Amino acid sequence: MEAPYAKLEELEPGIARVLAHNPSAFTYYGTQTYLIGTHEIAVIDPGPDLPEHIDALTKAIGGRKVAAIMCTHTHRDHSPASRPLAERTGALIIGCAPLALETAGPRADASFDGDYAPDDVLGDAEGLDIDGERLTAVATPGHTSNHLCFAYRGALLSGDHVMGWSTTVVVPPDGDMADYMASLEKLRQREDRIYYPAHGPAVTKPQQYVRHLVGHRMQRERQILGLIGGQARTIPDIVANAYPGLDPRLTIAAGGSVLAHLRDLERRGLVEQQQDAWTTR
């Protein structure tokens, strides 16, 4: 497949996207920046600070007023382009809260954007009007503590919280499995008709897919409990047994996900850590 980089694609009336050229094992073909509205627009997840992507967004915007530049969270594949785009358009940066946090070890997903500085932060259920219709923030912590989705005309811009091509990376200390599961349940109770994620294809059966994601995480939890029930195991040992045939590029991410599950299980009194190894209680 030849990815449509730097091209404006209309997905439905009032929702279009431009794909950034930053493909990777964690971003699929790249970050999808969404333009919401027709006469005036909001830009969702402006993406990485790549000159060709900024130029493509500027061309896609044309002479229209940009009501806001909005970020679902502050990983470097999502928010850095907010600053040069704000300089070009004069628009305010509005959306998730700032967060500058690095994990103690090497990160598997994109590092945080420590220079992100919003003009205004949206809380859950807060929003703004675009073309006379409400664009609303939906707080969905888990992938990161500051993650937001955005709802508009029955569609949900789901950022990295729900992606159609891959499960979401949840890496402590900022990523939290209990928060992630609670956020999935929150979306399951909504009635959005479609999800447009920051990476990968649209999710056309959202509630069904969210139930699948919840089931997947519960299955992984049971698998981890089974592995450490018989003997104490380190995280690399759990990853080797739980993820056979794993792409080596994803080993650190899998370890982070296992750690997120273990921390959640530890808080619930089901497992305990013994130096570098984990066992059931």
Side-chain angles (χ1 to χ4, degrees):
M1 169 182 166
E2 184 176 347
Y5 295 117
K7 296 178 181 178
L8 179 66
E9 297 180 288
E10 184 179 60
L11 304 177
E12 63 179 77
I15 302 180
R17 71 179 170 200
V18 178
L19 178 63
H21 195 277
N22 61 324
S24 76
F26 298 98
T27 62
Y28 201 48
Y29 287 104
T31 302
Q32 296 175 137
T33 299
Y34 291 94
L35 274 59
I36 305 300
T38 303
H39 302 293
E40 66 172 345
I41 60 172
V43 178
I44 308 291
D45 276 342
D49 187 1
L50 299 174
E52 63 270 24
H53 186 55
I54 305 299
D55 289 343
L57 290 176
T58 302
K59 181 180 178 181
I61 291 166
R64 293 178 290 179
K65 176 186 175 182
V66 179
I69 299 167
M70 310 176 77
C71 301
T72 60
H73 64 296
T74 50
H75 279 150
R76 290 192 181 276
D77 57 325
H78 287 258
S79 60
S82 62
R83 295 179 287 280
L85 192 62
E87 291 176 1
R88 291 197 187 187
T89 63
L92 297 180
I93 300 171
I94 299 173
C96 68
L99 178 69
L101 174 70
E102 297 292 339
T103 56
R107 293 198 60 86
D109 54 341
S111 62
F112 287 97
D113 175 13
D115 295 324
Y116 171 74
D119 297 292
D120 194 14
V121 173
L122 293 179
D124 187 45
E126 294 181 338
L128 67 159
D129 289 338
I130 304 295
D131 277 347
E133 297 193 56
R134 199 67 172 169
L135 176 63
T136 305
V138 181
T140 48
H143 173 62
T144 61
S145 62
N146 62 347
H147 195 285
L148 297 176
C149 297
F150 295 104
Y152 183 75
R153 290 183 178 176
L156 189 77
L157 289 303
S158 60
D160 280 4
H161 180 60
V162 175
M163 298 180 290
W165 77 285
S166 172
T167 54
T168 297
V169 174
V170 180
V171 178
D174 188 61
D176 185 279
M177 189 59 69
D179 287 348
Y180 172 72
M181 294 294 283
S183 293
L184 285 179
E185 177 59 23
K186 180 178 183 177
L187 292 196
R188 191 188 66 80
Q189 296 181 23
R190 292 175 54 87
E191 296 182 353
D192 305 292
R193 58 179 170 79
I194 192 168
Y195 292 172
Y196 291 116
H199 311 284
V203 177
T204 56
K205 296 181 179 179
Q207 287 75 27
Q208 178 180 324
Y209 189 65
V210 168
R211 287 194 297 270
H212 160 73
L213 292 176
V214 170
H216 169 76
R217 292 295 184 176
M218 293 178 67
Q219 181 182 20
R220 183 69 73 195
E221 178 182 287
R222 290 192 296 269
Q223 184 182 31
I224 291 170
L225 284 171
L227 284 169
I228 65 177
Q231 66 181 81
R233 293 180 186 268
T234 64
I235 288 177
D237 187 24
I238 296 171
V239 170
N241 283 274
Y243 297 85
L246 180 69
D247 183 334
R249 296 175 298 172
L250 303 179
T251 300
I252 296 175
S257 179
V258 167
L259 176 60
H261 276 292
L262 290 169
R263 292 295 185 205
D264 181 37
L265 291 165
E266 183 181 41
R267 287 195 297 262
R268 291 153 55 191
L270 298 175
V271 305
E272 61 183 357
Q273 186 173 9
Q274 300 175 352
Q275 296 183 334
D276 292 335
W278 293 79
T279 186
T280 53
R281 284 189 172 180

